Amino acid sequence: MTRTQAINPFMLGAVSVLALGATPVLAQSTPDSSPSSSDPAFATFTPSNSPNNDRIDYSIWDEAMSNLVISMGPSLRETAGSPRPSFGTRRQYGHVSRYRLEGTRIMFSFLDSDVIESFTEYRQDLERTADIVDIQALSRNEQLAYWINLHNVAMIEQIANAWPVRQPREIEIDNVPIDEARFITVEGIALSPRDIRERIVFANWSDPKVIYGFWRGEIGGPSIQREAFNADNVSRLLERGARDFVNSLRGTQRNGSTLEVSELFEEAAPFFFSDFETDLRAHIAQYANEDTNEILAETTSVDPTVREYDIADLAGGVREPSYQNITTDDISFSFRIPQSMVQLLAQRDQKFQRIIREGRTGTVTFSNITLPGDVGTDEVE
C-alpha cells in the first residue's frame, strides 16, 4: 500500500507499509492477567510470539500533528488564574480551567471540512492496513504504535466532526458515548476507543506507561504528542508523556496528607495497579521530579479525585463572537482569532518567558506559533 497524497499535510492519503529491519519493543502481559483477557472477541489481537520485520509509515500523520498540536509547556504546579471576560461583555469565553496552561492543545477551531474529512479517510486507511498487514505479527513496538495512532486519529476525527463542544464526553455516536461507541473496525471486529485501550493494549502490555499514549480530548488527560508514534519513538514518547502527566497538577496534587491523583489511574488500576496505593506510588516515583517526590514523601494516602473534562483545544469548545485581527511582522499575512484565544496564548507566552527566566527549560522545546497553523529505541513490554 502506498501513500497517495503527500503534498497537503492535512489530506492524509493512505498509509504505506515498509519491510525494514527488526526493531525493539514494551513488555507483554501474561495470558489471563487482565480483566478483559477472557473476552474471545479480542483474543485475535494478542501479539504473536514470532514478530516479522514489517513497518508502517506514519509520516503524513506525523506532519499533521506538527501542524495541529500546540504545547502549553510543562506544568509549574500553579493554578491558572481566572481569565478576563471578553471585551464588552461579562461572559467568559474560551478556557476557564485551572489546568488550561498545562498539556497540549489541538486547533479544532481552524479546521475546515476538507481537513476534517481527511481525518475520516486516514482512520479508514489505518483500518484497511490491518487487512493487508498482519498487525499481530508486527514487532510489539510496531503494534503499539498502530493502536495508539488509530485510537488518537479516531478521537480527533470525531471531536472535529462534533466541534464546537465543551466536553468530548458529551459527544455521542448513534446515541452511544464516544468512548464506548464501536465506530472503528479492524479485521472485521468493531472497536470503541475504550476497547483499543483496555481490551487490546492494557490487556497485552504490562508496562503502565502505555497509559500516556492515549489522548482523550480532555485537558485532564495525557497530552497528545506533536509527532506520530512509530516503532522507534514509542518508548521515548510514552516516557515524555508519563513525566509530563505525573508532574502536573492534573496528574498529582497534595491535599494535606493525601496524594490526590487523576481518576484515570483508578480506571487503569485493574490492569496495572492491583495494590492501588502501593503500586501507583511506585509508578509515580519512577517519573517524579523533585516537587512530585516531595509530595510523595509528605502524603500517606491516595485519592483518585482529580479530573477535568473540558476539551483540549485553544478555543474552549465554543465559537466566540468577538475576534481580534492578528498581523505578522512583515504585514504579509493576517487573520482573526477570538479574544479569549489571544489571552490564552499571551498567558502561554508569559509562562514560557518565566520558565526561561528562572532557568527551568530542561528538555522543553519551544516553538513559535503562527496561527492558524504551524507551518532512541526501547522495547515496550
Side-chain angles (χ1 to χ4, degrees):
M1 183 161 56
T2 59
R3 286 186 289 130
T4 59
Q5 296 172 311
I7 297 176
N8 185 335
F10 294 119
M11 300 304 291
L12 300 176
V15 193
S16 66
V17 181
L18 308 175
L20 300 177
T23 55
V25 194
L26 286 176
Q28 181 173 0
S29 294
T30 56
D32 302 320
S33 65
S34 71
S36 59
S37 61
S38 60
D39 191 330
F42 296 90
T44 185
F45 298 119
T46 302
S48 168
N49 292 323
S50 302
N52 61 35
N53 296 330
D54 288 345
R55 302 285 297 275
I56 300 175
D57 177 15
Y58 301 103
S59 57
I60 296 179
W61 188 243
D62 193 63
E63 188 173 358
M65 289 295 90
S66 70
N67 282 274
L68 286 173
V69 180
I70 300 238
S71 171
M72 304 305 288
S75 173
L76 299 182
R77 285 206 171 276
E78 296 177 0
T79 297
S82 298
R84 300 190 308 272
S86 294
F87 299 142
T89 178
R90 293 183 179 181
R91 180 173 178 180
Q92 288 181 322
Y93 290 92
H95 283 295
V96 298
S97 169
R98 63 186 296 237
Y99 310 116
R100 68 181 180 276
L101 295 179
E102 295 189 351
T104 52
R105 301 288 177 270
I106 287 186
M107 299 187 291
F108 286 110
S109 57
F110 293 101
L111 304 182
D112 61 28
S113 58
D114 288 339
V115 173
I116 295 171
E117 183 180 351
S118 74
F119 295 151
T120 299
E121 293 172 357
Y122 192 67
R123 187 256 300 168
Q124 293 171 344
D125 236 1
L126 288 174
E127 293 173 338
R128 287 191 294 267
T129 298
D131 298 328
I132 300 170
V133 178
D134 186 352
I135 298 298
Q136 298 89 317
L138 299 174
S139 72
R140 292 186 60 81
N141 274 10
E142 194 70 56
Q143 291 181 63
L144 184 57
Y146 173 82
W147 291 117
I148 292 174
N149 288 331
L150 177 59
H151 175 284
N152 294 348
V153 168
M155 291 296 296
I156 291 173
E157 171 206 5
Q158 295 302 324
I159 295 173
N161 279 326
W163 199 93
V165 59
R166 276 286 192 178
Q167 297 185 346
R169 61 184 54 209
E170 298 172 0
I171 300 170
E172 292 187 347
I173 302 171
D174 295 330
N175 297 317
V176 179
I178 181 174
D179 203 39
E180 305 288 342
R182 288 177 167 162
F183 62 95
I184 307 162
T185 302
V186 178
E187 296 183 6
I189 298 176
L191 306 171
S192 68
R194 185 175 181 180
D195 287 334
I196 291 176
R197 292 195 309 271
E198 297 186 1
R199 298 180 179 232
I200 298 175
V201 173
F202 292 2
N204 291 293
W205 275 261
S206 61
D207 191 330
K209 72 181 179 183
V210 297
I211 296 169
Y212 307 103
F214 295 105
W215 187 71
R216 314 291 189 90
E218 301 173 343
I219 288 179
S223 297
I224 194 164
Q225 301 297 326
R226 297 191 72 239
E227 53 188 305
F229 284 82
N230 59 52
D232 296 327
N233 70 17
V234 63
S235 185
R236 170 176 60 83
L237 294 184
L238 292 176
E239 291 271 349
R240 178 193 294 173
R243 294 186 189 283
D244 170 70
F245 193 71
V246 303
N247 294 304
S248 70
L249 280 179
R250 68 195 195 282
T252 56
Q253 303 176 26
R254 179 188 173 189
N255 183 3
S257 62
T258 300
L259 171 64
E260 295 183 334
V261 300
S262 169
E263 64 179 14
L264 295 182
F265 290 121
E266 183 176 42
E267 178 184 303
F271 302 90
F272 304 114
F273 313 118
S274 56
D275 185 345
F276 185 65
E277 295 200 8
T278 299
D279 293 345
L280 183 58
R281 281 179 171 276
H283 171 72
I284 291 172
Q286 185 178 355
Y287 302 104
N289 60 19
E290 183 177 350
D291 291 341
T292 306
N293 272 320
E294 185 175 334
I295 292 174
L296 286 171
E298 294 177 351
T299 54
T300 56
S301 61
V302 178
D303 192 7
T305 55
V306 179
R307 60 179 64 88
E308 177 53 87
Y309 303 142
D310 283 358
I311 186 172
D313 74 345
L314 284 176
V318 297
R319 287 195 173 97
E320 184 177 351
S322 300
Y323 286 77
Q324 183 168 329
N325 288 322
I326 303 296
T327 304
T328 57
D329 291 339
D330 61 4
I331 321 181
S332 62
F333 180 71
S334 65
F335 50 90
R336 298 169 68 235
I337 66 174
Q339 294 175 2
S340 62
M341 192 182 299
V342 173
Q343 291 184 34
L344 179 65
L345 294 175
Q347 287 182 306
R348 173 187 182 271
D349 183 64
Q350 292 168 3
K351 173 184 172 180
F352 280 7
Q353 292 302 319
R354 178 182 169 188
I355 289 172
I356 294 171
R357 189 170 58 250
E358 297 179 358
R360 300 197 199 187
T361 51
T363 59
V364 179
T365 300
F366 299 97
S367 61
N368 293 327
I369 301 176
T370 303
L371 296 174
D374 289 335
V375 186
T377 309
D378 292 309
E379 183 168 274
V380 183
E381 298 293 344

